[in-house]
Amino acid sequence: MRQNGSDNLDELQHRSAVGRYGSEWSAWAIFVGVAFLLQMFLALNTRAPFVIENGDNGSILYIIAHWIQPEAFMDDVLLGVDGTTSFYQAALMWPNYLLGLAGVELGFFYVIICFPIAMAQMGGFYLLGKQLFLNRNVAIALALISIPTVFTISGDLWGHYYSPLLRSAYGAALPWLLLILISPSRPRPYALMTAAAAASYLHLPSGPPVALALLFVSLLRRSEGQGWGYAFVHHVLAGVLYLALMSPYALLFSQTFAAGDKEALQQFANSPYANVGMAIDHLSTLRGVRRMSILISRVPGMEWADRVVVPFFGVLFVVGGLSLLVVTFTSVLPSHLRSRLSFSQSWYWVAGFFTTTIFLALGISAIDQAIAAAQARGPLQLDFIRATRFGVPATYIGMFMLITYLAQRFKPKASCLAPTCTIALAVWVWLFAYPSTSHGLYRMTKGQSIEDTNLTQFGQFSQKMAEIDGVGPITPVLRYDYLSSALRYVAFLPLTFNRKDNNFISYSGRLDSREHRALMDQIDAIRKARRDPDAQVPIITGFVDVLGSPDVVIDRRVVQELAEARLVSEYGFDLQLELGPFAYYRRAQ
């Protein structure tokens, strides 16, 4: 009988293990499927020659193009000036560069890197979710909800954008940093700061606020029996280690004018805290979410979403944010009061980390700007404010904490409450945010081809331009700034102007930022006047005259037929090449 009982026990343990491992494999299969679909839609949407539909990635690619062929850009308005981009470095620039040296088209790396970044992010949040919520299905929901793109402040976002950004790579590293923070039985400040420094090389502006928050929470997490003095000394030394590991970045950044030119930063003319004020305004008014509602409402059958998206995310952010704050501030209560709530200890550390990170993102920026205002100069660093985007995963985790806590309170009647609600939440976020996550999927649901033929045609057009002899610096009159950037990294042609150069001009201090802003105003005016040729033509000719190059590339979605005809008949524009909506003109001198 004992033998039969032992056999039955072995069989039960075997079945349990099979079920456990089967469920684990099914979770990872879901992540592989999602990452594969994102990769597939990106590859079908962006074909060779690769024109990357993102301004930041385009800027990185034209820096790499300059590394590969510096002689091609001697006459370029930005790349032809020493020191304008030399301070900008990131780890993922180097695979791009090495592939370019090997003859692979620049931009290819940004297409193939989608799958591994998405897998790293989902895998990290899945493991973090299992640590926090002890429920595989809730962890799966956390992994999936982490992917969709949510716009936050102007020019920033959380999530996996069309083509992976440097900040997307840092977002994929974030859950792994949190696992290092909460998983060991004792704090490991040196390992934590080493990992934080490595992640900072993915995206520098994200690094310092996150590293400081990790260090602070790790100090609070000191193990029992370890004195404050001992823990404090080791965490200070770990902070010094982080600074030492980041010193190459600091040396590079010290080459810049460090945005100290007050004229280069017009937004600070009226208030030294304009950057912080802008972030608070955009986050509180859900400006980025309003943009998302416009995108999803353009999908046939989804017009109703325009009325739902903003309230949905508003409730999600408010309730999730408040829940996170409650957990954070509960951590400072006496132990007998904390025990009544039965929050997991790891909840306190993760909630404290996110609260501290967002506080530092605003606080460091405000202090930098206050010191700059007192010294009558511009601030040293504008981009630490970007760490406010971590408020998006923070509110997700806060909402999951609330749902899990309520499910535990009503057990066993509501045993399925946490998995059901969190998975439903992830589905709704995906429904509203997929247009800003996958352009190929978005085009397909609007009844268009997955491939953006305009991107492909512009890549082919740029290649044909590279074959023409005697092409001087190009004046681009194009619909999107990322197309101007592609002329540099696809055709290896110099430009007289690119709106996207603004950040490099501001930080480097090597060029006249006021002149560049005036040109930005002109290109914006050209785009706005596309339906009024009588107003548009003089702006175009004035723009070309100021920039001084006879070689002009136009986008017929901006310069329409009547305006183009007048440029030819009245202003001596001679057609050299055309493909699709794009045309290259040389103006008679």
Side-chain angles (χ1 to χ4, degrees), residues 370-377:
I371 295 172
Q375 297 178 356
R377 59 168 175 80

Side-chain angles (χ1 to χ4, degrees), residues 130-134 182 327 330-331 338 341-351 401 404-405 408:
K130 289 206 298 181
Q131 286 271 353
L132 292 175
F133 305 114
L134 306 178
I182 69 172
V327 174
T330 300
S331 66
R338 291 201 309 269
L341 294 170
S342 303
F343 289 158
S344 164
Q345 195 70 18
S346 60
W347 285 20
Y348 293 130
W349 310 135
V350 171
M401 287 176 175
T404 301
Y405 179 74
Q408 291 172 346

Side-chain angles (χ1 to χ4, degrees), residues 29-51:
I30 291 171
F31 305 149
V32 169
V34 171
F36 174 78
L37 288 174
L38 288 171
Q39 178 69 77
M40 180 189 73
F41 277 111
L42 176 58
L44 293 175
N45 173 252
T46 307
R47 310 286 184 92
F50 303 101
V51 175

Side-chain angles (χ1 to χ4, degrees), residues 335-409:
S335 58
H336 68 280
L337 294 177
R338 291 201 309 269
S339 62
R340 294 182 182 180
L341 294 170
S342 303
F343 289 158
S344 164
Q345 195 70 18
S346 60
W347 285 20
Y348 293 130
W349 310 135
V350 171
F353 161 78
F354 279 112
T355 303
T356 305
T357 298
I358 295 166
F359 174 80
L360 289 172
L362 296 169
I364 292 174
S365 298
I367 292 169
D368 178 24
Q369 291 164 30
I371 295 172
Q375 297 178 356
R377 59 168 175 80
L380 295 177
Q381 172 54 261
L382 295 178
D383 288 335
F384 289 156
I385 199 74
R386 292 180 181 274
T388 54
R389 74 182 186 281
F390 297 126
V392 176
T395 55
Y396 292 158
I397 289 174
M399 182 63 83
F400 279 35
M401 287 176 175
L402 175 63
I403 292 170
T404 301
Y405 179 74
L406 293 176
Q408 291 172 346
R409 299 287 290 182

Side-chain angles (χ1 to χ4, degrees), residues 34-346:
V34 171
F36 174 78
L37 288 174
L38 288 171
Q39 178 69 77
M40 180 189 73
F41 277 111
L42 176 58
L44 293 175
N45 173 252
T46 307
R47 310 286 184 92
F50 303 101
V51 175
I52 302 302
E53 191 180 7
N54 178 272
D56 289 352
N57 287 345
S59 298
I60 291 166
L61 289 173
Y62 66 62
I63 293 174
I64 296 170
H66 180 239
W67 291 354
I68 294 172
Q69 290 188 25
E71 69 281 357
F73 299 99
M74 292 178 64
D75 296 326
D76 188 274
V77 63
L78 179 78
L79 302 176
V81 179
D82 289 339
T84 51
T85 62
S86 57
F87 63 91
Y88 195 90
Q89 283 286 349
L92 292 183
M93 294 175 74
W94 290 95
N96 262 311
Y97 174 60
L98 294 175
L99 287 171
L101 286 179
V104 177
E105 291 177 337
L106 294 180
F108 174 70
F109 178 77
Y110 277 123
V111 176
I112 64 170
I113 198 65
C114 175
F115 180 88
I117 289 181
M119 278 300 299
Q121 182 165 324
M122 286 187 287
F125 275 104
Y126 172 64
L127 296 176
L128 178 64
K130 289 206 298 181
Q131 286 271 353
L132 292 175
F133 305 114
L134 306 178
N135 185 298
R136 182 177 288 108
N137 291 328
V138 175
I140 291 172
L142 181 63
L144 294 176
I145 204 173
S146 76
I147 290 292
T149 295
V150 176
F151 297 115
T152 54
I153 64 175
S154 178
D156 210 359
L157 54 89
W158 163 265
H160 196 86
Y161 194 51
Y162 293 168
S163 62
L165 299 161
L166 297 182
R167 73 200 75 164
S168 303
Y170 192 94
L174 180 67
W176 300 97
L177 294 175
L178 288 172
L179 285 167
I180 297 173
L181 174 68
I182 69 172
S183 294
S185 57
R186 297 177 58 186
R188 298 286 188 267
Y190 299 107
L192 187 61
M193 287 299 98
T194 301
S200 296
Y201 279 90
L202 295 172
H203 187 240
L204 174 61
S206 301
V210 168
L212 193 54
L214 288 169
L215 195 63
F216 175 70
V217 175
S218 178
L219 175 61
L220 297 180
R221 237 207 100 198
R222 76 194 195 289
S223 59
E224 293 295 329
Q226 190 180 74
W228 273 104
Y230 178 87
F232 182 78
V233 168
H234 279 280
H235 280 79
V236 168
L237 292 175
V240 172
L241 173 64
Y242 174 82
L243 294 175
L245 293 172
M246 294 305 299
S247 59
Y249 242 148
L251 291 172
L252 276 174
F253 196 74
S254 67
Q255 299 175 22
T256 74
F257 206 58
D261 178 7
K262 194 170 185 179
E263 296 297 330
L265 302 167
Q266 193 176 28
Q267 64 173 317
F268 295 94
N270 298 322
S271 169
Y273 304 106
N275 207 14
V276 176
M278 175 271 292
I280 294 173
D281 176 63
H282 289 189
L283 293 171
S284 62
T285 60
L286 298 178
R287 177 171 169 170
V289 173
R290 294 179 193 279
R291 178 181 168 190
M292 294 164 59
S293 72
I294 294 171
L295 291 175
I296 188 62
S297 65
R298 292 173 179 168
V299 176
M302 292 293 295
E303 295 82 2
W304 56 271
D306 186 45
R307 303 184 299 273
V308 175
V309 172
V310 174
F312 171 80
F313 279 99
V315 171
L316 173 59
F317 291 161
V318 169
V319 176
L322 288 175
S323 300
L324 196 82
L325 288 174
V326 167
V327 174
T328 301
F329 290 112
T330 300
S331 66
V332 302
L333 294 177
S335 58
H336 68 280
L337 294 177
R338 291 201 309 269
S339 62
R340 294 182 182 180
L341 294 170
S342 303
F343 289 158
S344 164
Q345 195 70 18
S346 60

